[in-house]
Amino acid sequence: TGIIAETNSTNTDIEMELYPHPTVGDEVMLTLNNMDSEQQEVLVEIHDLYGKKVHSELLGNNGSQMIAVIQLPELAMGIYTVNVMVNHERIQAKKLVVR
């Protein structure tokens, strides 16, 4: 495992948004668009700059759009990487700044 410096996407149809960014609170909103309409398993993992997993959440979704609130009560100020996998397929990785 290492630091992901760029956005790698294997399924380019799915659009991912993360907001507010940067965040000062203890939660962020995650939006996924253009998903398949069948049932999906969405895994959200947050890693620190050293590649250590600091948060993991498994969500379910049924439909072409998903909006979820990701709770971040344990995150200190810093830069994190948010990895999203849908049905065990990596979608995107985005940077998240916590102030």
Side-chain angles (χ1 to χ4, degrees):
T1 62
I3 298 171
I4 293 114
E6 59 191 46
T7 299
N8 294 325
S9 180
T10 53
N11 186 342
T12 55
D13 293 341
I14 297 179
E15 297 172 2
M16 174 180 158
E17 286 183 56
L18 202 59
Y19 54 92
H21 186 261
T23 183
V24 292
D26 55 0
E27 66 184 30
V28 291
M29 295 289 290
L30 171 69
T31 304
L32 299 175
N33 290 307
N34 299 330
M35 298 175 72
D36 292 333
S37 55
E38 77 259 1
Q39 182 70 32
Q40 296 109 11
E41 179 182 281
V42 179
L43 176 64
V44 179
E45 291 183 340
I46 301 176
H47 298 261
D48 65 14
L49 281 176
Y50 304 103
K52 179 184 172 202
K53 188 190 312 177
V54 295
H55 183 81
S56 182
E57 201 165 322
L58 186 60
L59 307 165
N61 186 62
N62 193 1
S64 62
Q65 183 183 49
M66 184 187 96
I67 300 173
V69 177
I70 308 298
Q71 300 293 327
L72 309 172
E74 71 279 6
L75 294 188
M77 288 175 31
I79 300 173
Y80 297 87
T81 302
V82 180
N83 292 306
V84 175
M85 295 180 70
V86 175
N87 296 334
H88 308 286
E89 183 181 342
R90 182 160 165 195
I91 300 305
Q92 270 189 333
K94 287 202 177 226
K95 294 260 185 255
L96 175 66
V97 176
V98 177
R99 290 191 174 161

